[in-house]
Coordinates of all heavy atoms in Angstrom, one line a residue:
L36 N 14.0 -3.9 -20.0 CA 14.4 -2.5 -19.7 C 13.2 -1.6 -19.6 O 13.2 -0.5 -19.0 CB 15.4 -2.0 -20.7 CG 16.8 -2.5 -20.5 CD1 17.7 -2.0 -21.6 CD2 17.4 -1.9 -19.2
K37 N 12.1 -1.9 -20.3 CA 10.9 -1.1 -20.2 C 10.2 -1.2 -18.9 O 9.3 -0.4 -18.6 CB 9.9 -1.5 -21.3 CG 10.5 -1.2 -22.8 CD 9.5 -1.6 -23.8 CE 10.1 -1.4 -25.2 NZ 9.1 -1.8 -26.3
N38 N 10.5 -2.3 -18.1 CA 9.9 -2.4 -16.8 C 10.8 -1.7 -15.7 O 11.7 -2.3 -15.2 CB 9.7 -3.9 -16.5 CG 8.9 -4.2 -15.2 OD1 8.8 -3.3 -14.3 ND2 8.2 -5.3 -15.2
T39 N 10.5 -0.5 -15.5 CA 11.4 0.3 -14.6 C 11.4 -0.2 -13.2 O 12.4 -0.2 -12.6 CB 10.9 1.8 -14.7 OG1 10.7 2.3 -16.0 CG2 11.8 2.7 -13.9
S40 N 10.2 -0.6 -12.8 CA 10.1 -1.2 -11.4 C 11.0 -2.4 -11.2 O 11.8 -2.5 -10.2 CB 8.7 -1.6 -11.1 OG 8.5 -2.0 -9.8
R561 N -2.2 6.0 -32.9 CA -1.6 6.8 -31.9 C -0.2 7.1 -32.2 O 0.3 8.3 -32.1 CB -1.6 6.0 -30.5 CG -0.9 6.7 -29.3 CD -1.4 8.1 -29.1 NE -2.8 8.2 -29.0 CZ -3.5 7.9 -27.9 NH1 -2.9 7.5 -26.9 NH2 -4.8 8.0 -28.0
E565 N 1.5 11.0 -32.7 CA 2.6 11.5 -31.9 C 3.6 12.1 -32.9 O 4.2 13.2 -32.6 CB 3.2 10.4 -31.1 CG 2.3 9.8 -30.0 CD 1.9 10.8 -28.9 OE1 2.6 11.8 -28.9 OE2 1.0 10.5 -28.2
K569 N 4.7 16.3 -33.6 CA 6.1 16.8 -33.5 C 6.5 17.5 -34.8 O 7.3 18.5 -34.8 CB 7.1 15.7 -33.2 CG 6.9 15.0 -31.9 CD 7.8 13.9 -31.7 CE 7.5 13.1 -30.4 NZ 8.4 11.9 -30.2
K580 N -6.3 13.6 -30.9 CA -6.2 12.1 -30.8 C -7.5 11.6 -30.1 O -7.9 12.1 -29.1 CB -5.0 11.8 -29.8 CG -3.7 12.4 -30.3 CD -2.7 12.4 -29.1 CE -1.5 13.3 -29.5 NZ -0.6 13.4 -28.3
L688 N -6.0 8.3 -16.2 CA -4.6 8.3 -16.0 C -3.7 8.0 -17.2 O -2.9 8.7 -17.6 CB -4.3 7.3 -14.9 CG -2.8 7.0 -14.5 CD1 -2.2 8.3 -14.0 CD2 -2.7 6.0 -13.4
D689 N -4.0 6.8 -17.8 CA -3.2 6.4 -18.9 C -3.3 7.4 -20.1 O -2.3 7.6 -20.7 CB -3.7 5.0 -19.4 CG -3.4 3.9 -18.4 OD1 -2.7 4.2 -17.4 OD2 -3.9 2.8 -18.5
Q690 N -4.5 7.8 -20.3 CA -4.7 8.7 -21.5 C -3.9 10.1 -21.3 O -3.4 10.7 -22.2 CB -6.2 9.1 -21.6 CG -6.5 9.7 -22.9 CD -6.3 8.8 -24.1 OE1 -6.6 7.6 -24.1 NE2 -5.9 9.4 -25.3
F691 N -3.9 10.6 -20.0 CA -3.3 11.8 -19.7 C -1.8 11.7 -19.9 O -1.1 12.6 -20.5 CB -3.5 12.2 -18.2 CG -3.0 13.5 -17.8 CD1 -3.7 14.7 -18.1 CD2 -1.8 13.6 -17.1 CE1 -3.2 15.9 -17.7 CE2 -1.3 14.8 -16.7 CZ -2.0 16.0 -17.0
I692 N -1.2 10.6 -19.5 CA 0.3 10.3 -19.7 C 0.6 10.2 -21.2 O 1.6 10.8 -21.7 CB 0.7 9.1 -18.9 CG1 0.6 9.3 -17.4 CG2 2.1 8.7 -19.3 CD1 0.8 8.1 -16.6
A693 N -0.3 9.5 -21.9 CA -0.1 9.3 -23.4 C -0.2 10.6 -24.2 O 0.5 10.8 -25.2 CB -1.0 8.2 -23.9
N694 N -1.1 11.5 -23.7 CA -1.3 12.7 -24.5 C -0.3 13.8 -24.3 O -0.3 14.8 -25.0 CB -2.7 13.3 -24.0 CG -3.8 12.5 -24.7 OD1 -3.6 11.8 -25.6 ND2 -5.0 12.7 -24.3
N695 N 0.6 13.7 -23.3 CA 1.5 14.7 -22.9 C 3.0 14.2 -23.0 O 3.3 13.1 -22.6 CB 1.3 15.3 -21.5 CG -0.1 16.0 -21.5 OD1 -0.3 17.0 -22.1 ND2 -1.1 15.4 -20.8
E696 N 3.9 15.0 -23.5 CA 5.3 14.6 -23.7 C 5.9 14.5 -22.3 O 6.7 13.5 -22.0 CB 6.0 15.6 -24.5 CG 7.4 15.2 -24.9 CD 8.1 16.1 -25.8 OE1 7.5 17.1 -26.2 OE2 9.2 15.8 -26.2
Y697 N 5.7 15.5 -21.4 CA 6.3 15.5 -20.1 C 5.2 15.5 -19.0 O 4.4 16.4 -19.0 CB 7.3 16.7 -19.9 CG 8.4 16.8 -21.0 CD1 8.2 17.7 -22.0 CD2 9.5 15.9 -20.9 CE1 9.2 17.7 -23.0 CE2 10.5 16.0 -21.8 CZ 10.3 16.9 -22.9 OH 11.3 17.0 -23.9
T698 N 5.2 14.5 -18.2 CA 4.2 14.4 -17.1 C 4.8 14.0 -15.8 O 5.7 13.1 -15.7 CB 3.1 13.2 -17.6 OG1 2.8 13.4 -18.9 CG2 1.9 13.3 -16.6
F699 N 4.3 14.6 -14.7 CA 4.7 14.3 -13.4 C 3.5 14.0 -12.6 O 2.6 14.8 -12.5 CB 5.5 15.5 -12.8 CG 6.3 15.2 -11.5 CD1 7.6 15.0 -11.6 CD2 5.7 15.1 -10.3 CE1 8.4 14.6 -10.5 CE2 6.4 14.8 -9.1 CZ 7.8 14.6 -9.2
V700 N 3.5 12.8 -12.0 CA 2.3 12.4 -11.3 C 2.6 12.0 -9.9 O 3.5 11.2 -9.6 CB 1.6 11.2 -12.0 CG1 0.3 10.8 -11.2 CG2 1.3 11.5 -13.4
F702 N 1.1 9.8 -6.8 CA 0.2 8.8 -6.4 C 0.0 8.8 -4.9 O 1.0 8.6 -4.1 CB 0.7 7.4 -6.8 CG 0.8 7.2 -8.3 CD1 1.9 7.7 -9.0 CD2 -0.2 6.6 -9.0 CE1 2.0 7.6 -10.4 CE2 -0.1 6.4 -10.4 CZ 1.0 6.9 -11.1
D730 N 7.0 21.9 -21.5 CA 5.6 22.0 -21.1 C 5.4 20.8 -20.1 O 4.8 19.8 -20.6 CB 4.7 21.9 -22.3 CG 3.3 22.1 -21.9 OD1 3.0 22.6 -20.8 OD2 2.4 21.8 -22.8
L731 N 5.7 21.0 -18.8 CA 5.5 19.9 -17.9 C 4.1 19.9 -17.4 O 3.6 20.9 -16.8 CB 6.5 20.1 -16.7 CG 6.4 19.0 -15.6 CD1 6.8 17.7 -16.1 CD2 7.3 19.5 -14.4
K732 N 3.4 18.7 -17.5 CA 2.0 18.6 -16.9 C 2.1 17.9 -15.6 O 2.7 16.8 -15.5 CB 1.2 17.7 -17.9 CG 1.0 18.4 -19.2 CD 0.2 19.7 -19.1 CE -0.1 20.3 -20.5 NZ -0.7 21.6 -20.4
K747 N 0.2 -1.3 -12.8 CA 1.4 -1.4 -13.6 C 2.4 -0.3 -13.4 O 3.5 -0.4 -13.9 CB 0.9 -1.3 -15.1 CG 0.3 0.0 -15.5 CD -0.1 0.0 -17.0 CE -0.8 1.3 -17.4 NZ -1.2 1.2 -18.8
Y748 N 2.1 0.7 -12.5 CA 3.1 1.7 -12.2 C 4.0 1.4 -11.0 O 4.8 2.2 -10.6 CB 2.4 3.1 -12.0 CG 1.7 3.6 -13.3 CD1 0.3 3.4 -13.4 CD2 2.4 4.1 -14.4 CE1 -0.3 3.8 -14.6 CE2 1.8 4.5 -15.5 CZ 0.4 4.3 -15.7 OH -0.2 4.7 -16.8
G749 N 3.8 0.2 -10.5 CA 4.7 -0.2 -9.4 C 4.7 0.5 -8.1 O 5.7 0.7 -7.5
R757 N 6.2 9.8 -9.9 CA 6.6 9.2 -11.2 C 6.7 10.4 -12.2 O 5.8 11.2 -12.3 CB 5.6 8.2 -11.7 CG 5.4 7.0 -10.7 CD 6.7 6.1 -10.6 NE 6.5 4.9 -9.9 CZ 6.8 4.8 -8.6 NH1 7.3 5.8 -8.0 NH2 6.6 3.6 -8.0
F758 N 7.7 10.4 -13.0 CA 7.9 11.3 -14.1 C 8.0 10.5 -15.4 O 8.6 9.5 -15.5 CB 9.3 12.1 -13.8 CG 9.7 13.0 -14.9 CD1 8.8 13.9 -15.4 CD2 10.9 13.0 -15.5 CE1 9.1 14.9 -16.4 CE2 11.3 13.9 -16.5 CZ 10.4 14.8 -16.9
F759 N 7.2 11.0 -16.4 CA 7.1 10.4 -17.6 C 7.6 11.3 -18.8 O 7.3 12.5 -18.8 CB 5.7 10.0 -17.9 CG 5.1 9.1 -16.9 CD1 4.5 9.6 -15.7 CD2 5.1 7.7 -17.0 CE1 3.9 8.8 -14.7 CE2 4.5 6.9 -16.0 CZ 3.9 7.4 -14.9
I760 N 8.5 10.7 -19.6 CA 8.9 11.4 -20.9 C 8.4 10.5 -22.0 O 8.9 9.4 -22.2 CB 10.4 11.6 -20.9 CG1 10.9 12.4 -19.8 CG2 10.8 12.2 -22.3 CD1 12.4 12.6 -19.8
D761 N 7.4 11.0 -22.8 CA 6.8 10.2 -23.9 C 6.3 8.9 -23.4 O 6.5 7.8 -24.0 CB 7.8 10.0 -25.0 CG 7.9 11.3 -25.9 OD1 7.0 12.1 -25.9 OD2 9.0 11.5 -26.4
G762 N 5.8 8.8 -22.1 CA 5.3 7.6 -21.6 C 6.3 6.8 -20.8 O 5.9 5.8 -20.2
A763 N 7.6 7.0 -21.0 CA 8.6 6.2 -20.3 C 8.7 6.7 -18.9 O 8.9 7.9 -18.6 CB 9.9 6.3 -21.1
M764 N 8.6 5.8 -17.9 CA 8.5 6.1 -16.5 C 9.8 6.2 -15.8 O 10.7 5.4 -16.0 CB 7.6 5.1 -15.8 CG 7.3 5.4 -14.3 SD 6.1 4.3 -13.6 CE 7.1 2.8 -13.5
T765 N 10.0 7.2 -15.0 CA 11.1 7.4 -14.1 C 10.6 7.5 -12.7 O 9.6 8.2 -12.5 CB 11.9 8.6 -14.5 OG1 12.3 8.5 -15.9 CG2 13.2 8.7 -13.6
V766 N 11.3 6.8 -11.7 CA 10.8 6.8 -10.4 C 11.6 7.8 -9.5 O 12.9 7.7 -9.6 CB 10.9 5.3 -9.8 CG1 10.5 5.3 -8.3 CG2 10.1 4.4 -10.6
L786 N 15.9 15.6 -17.5 CA 15.7 16.1 -18.8 C 17.0 16.1 -19.6 O 17.1 16.2 -20.8 CB 15.1 17.5 -18.8 CG 13.7 17.7 -18.3 CD1 13.3 19.1 -18.2 CD2 12.7 16.9 -19.2
A823 N 17.2 3.6 -26.4 CA 16.1 4.3 -25.8 C 15.5 3.6 -24.6 O 15.1 4.2 -23.6 CB 15.0 4.4 -26.9
A824 N 15.5 2.2 -24.7 CA 15.0 1.4 -23.5 C 15.9 1.6 -22.4 O 15.5 1.7 -21.2 CB 14.8 0.0 -23.9
A826 N 17.9 4.1 -21.7 CA 17.7 5.5 -21.2 C 16.5 5.5 -20.3 O 16.5 6.1 -19.2 CB 17.6 6.5 -22.3
G827 N 15.4 4.9 -20.8 CA 14.2 4.9 -19.9 C 14.3 4.3 -18.6 O 13.8 4.7 -17.6
A828 N 15.1 3.1 -18.6 CA 15.2 2.4 -17.3 C 16.2 3.1 -16.4 O 15.9 3.2 -15.2 CB 15.8 1.0 -17.7
R830 N 16.9 6.3 -16.1 CA 16.5 7.6 -15.6 C 16.2 7.6 -14.2 O 16.2 8.5 -13.5 CB 15.4 8.1 -16.5 CG 15.8 8.9 -17.7 CD 14.7 9.7 -18.3 NE 15.1 10.5 -19.4 CZ 14.9 10.0 -20.7 NH1 14.3 8.9 -20.9 NH2 15.3 10.8 -21.7
S831 N 15.7 6.4 -13.7 CA 15.3 6.3 -12.3 C 16.4 6.2 -11.3 O 16.2 6.2 -10.1 CB 14.3 5.1 -12.1 OG 13.1 5.3 -12.8

Side-chain angles (χ1 to χ4, degrees):
L36 282 170
K37 294 180 181 178
N38 191 330
T39 310
S40 180
R561 174 55 50 79
E565 298 291 348
K569 297 175 184 176
K580 306 165 193 172
L688 173 63
D689 293 349
Q690 193 68 37
F691 186 80
I692 293 171
N694 283 347
N695 295 291
E696 186 175 3
Y697 303 103
T698 313
F699 195 98
V700 182
F702 296 80
D730 183 16
L731 178 65
K732 297 298 182 183
K747 65 181 178 182
Y748 295 103
R757 300 289 187 266
F758 176 50
F759 301 87
I760 300 180
D761 286 330
M764 182 174 73
T765 303
V766 179
L786 293 172
R830 271 197 179 95
S831 294

